[in-house]
Amino acid sequence: MPGREGFIVDPRGGAAFELELPLNFDLLASEVTFPETVEAGPERDGILDRGTWCLISGPGERASRIVMPKRLD
């Protein structure tokens, strides 16, 4: 799928990208303003975009351990 190189693609439409190092949420907070559709937090070491159903996860929270919420669209 174009634009999702390196992602683990879910056949239901979502995708996940697993990083080897933890996400730096202090740096992200200083550089990025996430829209309301994005859940990002160090407590889960991940970023979930509910608009595209893409997940970026650090080693603290692997995509295989996250239960993706049901799509409403």
Coordinates of all heavy atoms in Angstrom, one line a residue:
M1 N 0.9 -1.2 0.0 CA 0.0 0.0 0.0 C 0.9 1.2 0.0 O 1.8 1.4 0.9 CB -0.9 0.0 1.2 CG -1.9 1.1 1.3 SD -3.1 0.9 2.6 CE -4.0 -0.5 2.1
P2 N 0.7 2.1 -0.9 CA 1.6 3.3 -1.0 C 1.5 4.2 0.3 O 0.4 4.3 0.9 CB 1.0 4.1 -2.2 CG 0.2 3.1 -3.0 CD -0.2 2.1 -2.0
G3 N 2.6 4.7 0.7 CA 2.6 5.6 1.8 C 2.7 4.9 3.2 O 2.7 5.5 4.2
R4 N 2.7 3.6 3.2 CA 2.8 2.8 4.4 C 3.9 1.9 4.5 O 3.9 0.8 5.1 CB 1.5 2.0 4.6 CG 0.3 2.9 4.8 CD -0.9 2.2 5.3 NE -2.0 3.1 5.6 CZ -3.2 2.7 6.1 NH1 -3.4 1.5 6.3 NH2 -4.1 3.6 6.3
E5 N 5.0 2.2 3.8 CA 6.2 1.4 3.8 C 6.7 1.3 5.2 O 6.8 2.3 6.0 CB 7.3 2.0 2.9 CG 7.0 2.0 1.4 CD 6.1 3.2 1.0 OE1 6.0 4.2 1.8 OE2 5.6 3.1 -0.1
G6 N 7.1 0.1 5.7 CA 7.5 -0.1 7.0 C 6.4 -0.4 8.0 O 6.7 -0.8 9.2
F7 N 5.2 -0.2 7.6 CA 4.1 -0.4 8.5 C 3.6 -1.8 8.4 O 3.7 -2.5 7.4 CB 2.9 0.5 8.2 CG 3.0 1.9 8.8 CD1 3.8 2.9 8.1 CD2 2.3 2.3 9.9 CE1 3.9 4.1 8.6 CE2 2.4 3.5 10.4 CZ 3.2 4.5 9.8
I8 N 3.1 -2.4 9.5 CA 2.4 -3.6 9.5 C 0.9 -3.3 9.2 O 0.3 -2.6 10.0 CB 2.5 -4.3 10.9 CG1 3.9 -4.5 11.3 CG2 1.7 -5.6 10.9 CD1 4.1 -4.8 12.8
V9 N 0.5 -3.7 8.1 CA -0.9 -3.3 7.6 C -1.9 -4.4 8.0 O -1.8 -5.5 7.8 CB -0.9 -3.2 6.0 CG1 -2.3 -2.8 5.6 CG2 0.1 -2.1 5.6
D10 N -3.0 -3.8 8.7 CA -4.1 -4.6 9.1 C -5.1 -4.7 8.0 O -5.4 -3.7 7.4 CB -4.7 -4.0 10.3 CG -5.9 -4.8 10.9 OD1 -6.7 -5.3 10.2 OD2 -5.9 -4.9 12.2
P11 N -5.5 -5.9 7.6 CA -6.5 -6.1 6.5 C -7.8 -5.3 6.7 O -8.5 -5.0 5.7 CB -6.7 -7.6 6.4 CG -6.2 -8.1 7.7 CD -5.2 -7.2 8.3
R12 N -8.1 -4.9 7.9 CA -9.3 -4.1 8.2 C -9.1 -2.7 7.9 O -10.0 -1.9 8.0 CB -9.8 -4.4 9.6 CG -10.2 -5.8 9.9 CD -10.4 -6.0 11.3 NE -9.1 -5.9 12.0 CZ -8.8 -6.1 13.3 NH1 -9.8 -6.4 14.1 NH2 -7.6 -5.9 13.8
G13 N -7.9 -2.2 7.5 CA -7.7 -0.8 7.1 C -6.7 -0.1 8.0 O -6.2 1.0 7.6
G14 N -6.3 -0.6 9.1 CA -5.4 0.1 10.0 C -3.9 -0.3 9.7 O -3.7 -1.2 8.8
A15 N -3.0 0.3 10.3 CA -1.6 0.0 10.1 C -0.8 0.4 11.4 O -1.3 1.2 12.1 CB -1.0 0.8 8.9
A16 N 0.3 -0.3 11.6 CA 1.1 -0.1 12.8 C 2.6 0.0 12.4 O 3.0 -0.7 11.5 CB 0.9 -1.1 13.9
F17 N 3.3 0.8 13.1 CA 4.8 0.9 12.9 C 5.4 0.8 14.3 O 5.1 1.6 15.2 CB 5.1 2.3 12.3 CG 6.5 2.4 11.8 CD1 6.8 1.9 10.5 CD2 7.5 2.9 12.6 CE1 8.1 2.0 10.1 CE2 8.8 2.9 12.1 CZ 9.1 2.5 10.9
E18 N 6.3 -0.2 14.4 CA 6.9 -0.5 15.7 C 8.3 0.1 15.8 O 9.1 -0.4 15.0 CB 6.8 -1.9 16.0 CG 5.4 -2.5 16.2 CD 5.3 -3.9 16.4 OE1 6.3 -4.7 16.2 OE2 4.3 -4.4 16.9
L19 N 8.6 1.0 16.6 CA 9.9 1.6 16.8 C 10.8 0.8 17.8 O 10.3 0.2 18.7 CB 9.8 3.0 17.3 CG 9.0 4.0 16.4 CD1 8.8 5.3 17.1 CD2 9.7 4.2 15.0
E20 N 12.1 0.8 17.6 CA 13.0 0.1 18.5 C 13.2 0.9 19.8 O 13.5 0.4 20.8 CB 14.3 -0.1 17.8 CG 14.2 -1.2 16.7 CD 15.6 -1.5 16.1 OE1 16.6 -1.2 16.7 OE2 15.6 -2.0 15.0
L21 N 13.1 2.3 19.7 CA 13.4 3.1 20.8 C 12.1 3.8 21.3 O 11.2 4.0 20.4 CB 14.4 4.2 20.4 CG 15.8 3.7 20.0 CD1 16.6 4.9 19.5 CD2 16.5 3.0 21.2
P22 N 12.0 4.2 22.5 CA 10.8 4.9 23.0 C 10.6 6.2 22.3 O 11.5 6.8 21.9 CB 11.0 5.1 24.5 CG 12.2 4.2 24.9 CD 13.0 4.0 23.6
L23 N 9.3 6.6 22.2 CA 9.0 7.9 21.6 C 9.4 9.0 22.6 O 9.3 8.8 23.8 CB 7.5 8.0 21.3 CG 7.0 7.1 20.2 CD1 5.6 6.7 20.3 CD2 7.3 7.8 18.9
N24 N 9.9 10.1 22.1 CA 10.3 11.2 22.9 C 9.1 12.2 23.0 O 9.0 13.1 22.1 CB 11.5 11.9 22.4 CG 12.0 13.0 23.2 OD1 11.3 13.6 24.0 ND2 13.3 13.3 23.2
F25 N 8.2 12.1 23.9 CA 7.0 12.9 24.0 C 7.3 14.4 24.4 O 6.6 15.3 24.0 CB 6.0 12.3 24.9 CG 5.3 11.1 24.3 CD1 5.8 9.8 24.5 CD2 4.3 11.3 23.4 CE1 5.2 8.7 23.9 CE2 3.7 10.2 22.8 CZ 4.1 8.9 23.0
D26 N 8.4 14.6 25.1 CA 8.8 16.0 25.4 C 9.1 16.7 24.1 O 8.7 17.9 23.9 CB 10.0 16.1 26.4 CG 9.6 15.6 27.8 OD1 8.4 15.7 28.1 OD2 10.5 15.1 28.5
L27 N 9.9 16.1 23.2 CA 10.3 16.7 21.9 C 9.0 16.8 21.1 O 8.8 17.9 20.4 CB 11.3 15.8 21.2 CG 11.7 16.3 19.8 CD1 12.4 17.6 19.9 CD2 12.7 15.3 19.2
L28 N 8.2 15.8 21.0 CA 7.0 15.9 20.2 C 6.1 17.0 20.7 O 5.6 17.8 19.8 CB 6.2 14.5 20.3 CG 6.8 13.4 19.5 CD1 6.1 12.1 19.9 CD2 6.7 13.6 18.0
A29 N 5.9 17.2 22.0 CA 5.1 18.3 22.5 C 5.6 19.7 22.1 O 4.9 20.6 21.9 CB 5.0 18.2 24.0
S30 N 6.9 19.8 22.0 CA 7.5 21.1 21.6 C 7.5 21.3 20.1 O 7.6 22.5 19.7 CB 9.0 21.2 22.2 OG 9.8 20.3 21.4
E31 N 7.3 20.3 19.3 CA 7.4 20.5 17.9 C 6.1 20.2 17.1 O 5.9 20.7 16.0 CB 8.4 19.5 17.3 CG 9.8 19.7 17.8 CD 10.4 21.0 17.2 OE1 10.1 21.4 16.1 OE2 11.3 21.6 17.9
V32 N 5.1 19.5 17.8 CA 3.9 19.0 17.0 C 2.7 19.4 17.8 O 2.6 19.2 19.0 CB 4.0 17.5 16.8 CG1 2.8 17.0 16.1 CG2 5.3 17.1 16.1
T33 N 1.7 19.8 17.1 CA 0.3 20.0 17.7 C -0.5 18.9 17.0 O -0.8 19.0 15.8 CB -0.2 21.4 17.4 OG1 0.7 22.3 18.0 CG2 -1.6 21.5 18.0
F34 N -1.0 18.0 17.8 CA -1.8 16.9 17.3 C -3.2 17.3 17.2 O -3.7 17.9 18.1 CB -1.7 15.6 18.2 CG -0.3 15.0 18.1 CD1 0.5 15.0 19.3 CD2 0.1 14.3 17.0 CE1 1.7 14.3 19.2 CE2 1.3 13.7 17.0 CZ 2.1 13.7 18.1
P35 N -3.9 16.9 16.1 CA -5.3 17.1 16.0 C -6.1 16.3 17.0 O -5.5 15.3 17.6 CB -5.7 16.7 14.6 CG -4.6 15.8 14.1 CD -3.4 16.2 14.9
E36 N -7.4 16.6 17.2 CA -8.2 15.9 18.2 C -8.3 14.4 17.9 O -8.6 13.6 18.8 CB -9.6 16.5 18.3 CG -9.5 17.8 18.9 CD -10.9 18.4 19.2 OE1 -11.9 17.6 19.3 OE2 -11.0 19.6 19.3
T37 N -8.1 14.0 16.6 CA -8.2 12.6 16.2 C -7.0 11.7 16.7 O -7.1 10.5 16.5 CB -8.4 12.4 14.7 OG1 -7.3 13.0 14.1 CG2 -9.7 13.0 14.2
V38 N -6.0 12.4 17.2 CA -4.8 11.7 17.6 C -4.7 11.5 19.1 O -4.8 12.5 19.8 CB -3.5 12.4 17.0 CG1 -2.3 11.8 17.5 CG2 -3.6 12.4 15.5
E39 N -4.4 10.3 19.5 CA -4.2 10.0 21.0 C -2.7 9.8 21.1 O -2.2 8.8 20.4 CB -5.0 8.8 21.4 CG -6.5 9.0 21.4 CD -7.2 7.7 21.8 OE1 -6.5 6.8 22.4 OE2 -8.4 7.7 21.6
A40 N -2.0 10.6 21.9 CA -0.5 10.4 22.0 C -0.2 10.5 23.5 O -0.7 11.5 24.1 CB 0.2 11.4 21.2
G41 N 0.6 9.6 24.0 CA 0.9 9.7 25.4 C 2.1 8.8 25.8 O 2.1 7.7 25.3
P42 N 2.9 9.3 26.7 CA 4.0 8.5 27.2 C 3.6 7.3 28.0 O 4.3 6.3 28.1 CB 4.9 9.4 28.0 CG 4.0 10.5 28.4 CD 2.9 10.6 27.3
E43 N 2.5 7.4 28.6 CA 2.0 6.2 29.5 C 1.8 5.0 28.6 O 1.8 3.9 29.2 CB 0.7 6.6 30.3 CG -0.5 6.9 29.4 CD -0.5 8.3 28.8 OE1 0.3 9.2 29.1 OE2 -1.4 8.5 27.9
R44 N 1.5 5.1 27.4 CA 1.3 4.0 26.5 C 2.4 3.9 25.5 O 2.4 2.9 24.7 CB -0.1 4.1 25.8 CG -1.2 4.0 26.9 CD -2.5 3.6 26.4 NE -2.4 2.3 25.8 CZ -3.4 1.8 25.1 NH1 -4.5 2.5 24.9 NH2 -3.4 0.5 24.7
D45 N 3.3 4.8 25.4 CA 4.4 4.8 24.5 C 3.9 4.6 23.0 O 4.5 3.8 22.3 CB 5.5 3.8 24.8 CG 6.8 4.0 24.1 OD1 7.1 5.1 23.6 OD2 7.6 3.1 24.0
G46 N 2.9 5.4 22.7 CA 2.3 5.2 21.4 C 1.5 6.4 20.9 O 1.1 7.3 21.7
I47 N 1.3 6.5 19.6 CA 0.5 7.5 19.0 C -0.5 6.8 18.1 O -0.1 6.0 17.2 CB 1.4 8.4 18.1 CG1 2.4 9.1 19.0 CG2 0.5 9.5 17.4 CD1 3.5 9.9 18.2
L48 N -1.8 7.0 18.3 CA -2.9 6.4 17.5 C -3.6 7.5 16.8 O -4.1 8.4 17.5 CB -3.8 5.6 18.4 CG -5.1 5.1 17.7 CD1 -4.7 4.1 16.6 CD2 -6.0 4.4 18.7
D49 N -3.7 7.5 15.5 CA -4.5 8.4 14.7 C -5.8 7.7 14.4 O -5.9 6.8 13.6 CB -3.8 8.8 13.5 CG -4.5 9.8 12.6 OD1 -5.7 10.0 12.9 OD2 -3.9 10.4 11.7
R50 N -6.9 8.2 15.0 CA -8.2 7.6 14.8 C -8.8 8.0 13.4 O -9.7 7.3 12.9 CB -9.2 8.0 15.9 CG -8.9 7.3 17.2 CD -9.9 7.8 18.2 NE -9.7 7.2 19.5 CZ -10.2 6.0 19.9 NH1 -11.1 5.4 19.1 NH2 -9.9 5.5 21.1
G51 N -8.2 9.0 12.8 CA -8.6 9.3 11.4 C -8.1 8.4 10.4 O -8.8 8.1 9.4
T52 N -6.9 7.9 10.5 CA -6.3 6.9 9.5 C -6.2 5.5 10.1 O -5.8 4.6 9.4 CB -5.0 7.4 9.1 OG1 -4.1 7.5 10.2 CG2 -5.0 8.8 8.4
W53 N -6.4 5.4 11.4 CA -6.2 4.1 12.1 C -4.8 3.6 12.0 O -4.6 2.4 11.8 CB -7.3 3.1 11.7 CG -8.6 3.5 12.1 CD1 -9.6 4.1 11.3 CD2 -9.2 3.5 13.4 NE1 -10.6 4.4 12.0 CE2 -10.4 4.1 13.3 CE3 -8.7 3.1 14.6 CZ2 -11.2 4.3 14.4 CZ3 -9.5 3.3 15.7 CH2 -10.8 3.9 15.6
C54 N -3.9 4.5 12.1 CA -2.5 4.2 12.1 C -1.9 4.3 13.5 O -2.3 5.3 14.2 CB -1.7 5.1 11.1 SG -2.0 4.7 9.4
L55 N -1.1 3.4 13.9 CA -0.5 3.4 15.2 C 1.1 3.4 15.1 O 1.6 2.7 14.3 CB -0.9 2.2 16.0 CG -0.2 1.9 17.3 CD1 -0.6 2.9 18.3 CD2 -0.5 0.5 17.8
I56 N 1.7 4.3 15.8 CA 3.2 4.3 15.9 C 3.4 4.0 17.4 O 3.0 4.6 18.3 CB 3.8 5.6 15.6 CG1 3.5 6.0 14.1 CG2 5.3 5.6 15.8 CD1 3.9 7.4 13.7
S57 N 4.2 2.9 17.6 CA 4.4 2.5 19.0 C 5.9 2.3 19.3 O 6.6 1.8 18.5 CB 3.7 1.1 19.3 OG 4.3 0.1 18.6
G58 N 6.3 2.7 20.5 CA 7.6 2.4 21.0 C 7.6 1.1 21.7 O 6.6 0.4 21.7
P59 N 8.8 0.6 22.2 CA 8.8 -0.7 22.8 C 8.0 -0.8 24.0 O 7.7 -2.0 24.4 CB 10.3 -0.9 23.0 CG 10.9 0.5 23.1 CD 10.0 1.3 22.2
G60 N 7.6 0.3 24.6 CA 6.8 0.2 25.9 C 5.4 -0.3 25.6 O 4.7 -0.8 26.5
E61 N 5.0 -0.2 24.4 CA 3.6 -0.7 24.1 C 3.6 -1.2 22.6 O 3.6 -0.4 21.7 CB 2.6 0.4 24.2 CG 1.2 0.0 24.0 CD 0.6 -0.9 25.0 OE1 0.8 -2.1 24.8 OE2 0.0 -0.5 26.0
R62 N 3.6 -2.4 22.5 CA 3.6 -3.0 21.1 C 2.2 -3.1 20.6 O 1.3 -3.3 21.3 CB 4.3 -4.4 21.2 CG 5.7 -4.3 21.2 CD 6.2 -3.8 19.9 NE 7.6 -3.4 20.0 CZ 8.1 -2.2 19.6 NH1 7.3 -1.3 19.1 NH2 9.3 -1.9 19.7
A63 N 2.1 -2.9 19.3 CA 0.9 -2.9 18.6 C 0.1 -4.2 18.8 O -1.1 -4.3 18.9 CB 1.1 -2.8 17.1
S64 N 0.8 -5.3 19.0 CA 0.2 -6.6 19.3 C -0.5 -6.6 20.6 O -1.4 -7.5 20.9 CB 1.2 -7.7 19.2 OG 2.2 -7.6 20.1
R65 N -0.2 -5.7 21.5 CA -0.8 -5.7 22.8 C -1.9 -4.6 22.9 O -2.6 -4.6 23.9 CB 0.2 -5.3 23.9 CG 1.2 -6.5 24.1 CD 2.1 -6.2 25.3 NE 3.3 -5.7 24.7 CZ 4.2 -5.0 25.4 NH1 4.0 -4.7 26.6 NH2 5.4 -4.7 24.8
I66 N -2.1 -3.8 21.9 CA -3.1 -2.8 21.9 C -4.4 -3.3 21.2 O -4.3 -3.9 20.1 CB -2.6 -1.5 21.2 CG1 -1.5 -0.9 22.0 CG2 -3.7 -0.5 21.0 CD1 -0.8 0.3 21.4
V67 N -5.5 -3.2 21.9 CA -6.8 -3.5 21.3 C -7.3 -2.3 20.6 O -7.6 -1.3 21.2 CB -7.8 -4.0 22.3 CG1 -9.1 -4.3 21.7 CG2 -7.2 -5.2 23.1
M68 N -7.3 -2.4 19.3 CA -7.8 -1.3 18.4 C -9.3 -1.1 18.7 O -10.0 -2.1 18.6 CB -7.5 -1.5 17.0 CG -6.0 -1.6 16.6 SD -5.2 0.0 16.8 CE -5.6 0.7 15.3
P69 N -9.7 0.1 18.9 CA -11.1 0.4 19.1 C -11.9 0.1 17.8 O -11.3 0.2 16.7 CB -11.2 1.8 19.5 CG -9.9 2.4 19.2 CD -8.9 1.3 19.1
K70 N -13.2 -0.1 17.9 CA -14.0 -0.4 16.7 C -14.1 0.9 15.9 O -14.2 2.0 16.4 CB -15.4 -0.8 17.1 CG -15.4 -2.2 17.6 CD -16.9 -2.7 17.7 CE -16.9 -4.1 18.2 NZ -18.3 -4.6 18.4
R71 N -14.0 0.8 14.6 CA -14.2 1.9 13.7 C -15.6 2.3 13.6 O -16.5 1.4 13.6 CB -13.7 1.6 12.3 CG -12.2 1.4 12.2 CD -11.8 1.0 10.8 NE -12.0 2.2 10.0 CZ -11.3 2.4 8.8 NH1 -10.5 1.5 8.4 NH2 -11.6 3.5 8.1
L72 N -15.9 3.6 13.6 CA -17.3 4.1 13.6 C -17.7 4.6 12.3 O -18.8 5.0 12.1 CB -17.4 5.2 14.7 CG -17.2 4.7 16.1 CD1 -17.3 5.9 17.1 CD2 -18.1 3.6 16.5
D73 N -16.7 4.7 11.3 CA -17.0 5.2 10.0 C -17.4 4.1 9.0 O -17.4 3.0 9.2 CB -15.9 6.0 9.5 CG -14.6 5.2 9.4 OD1 -14.5 4.2 10.0 OD2 -13.7 5.7 8.7

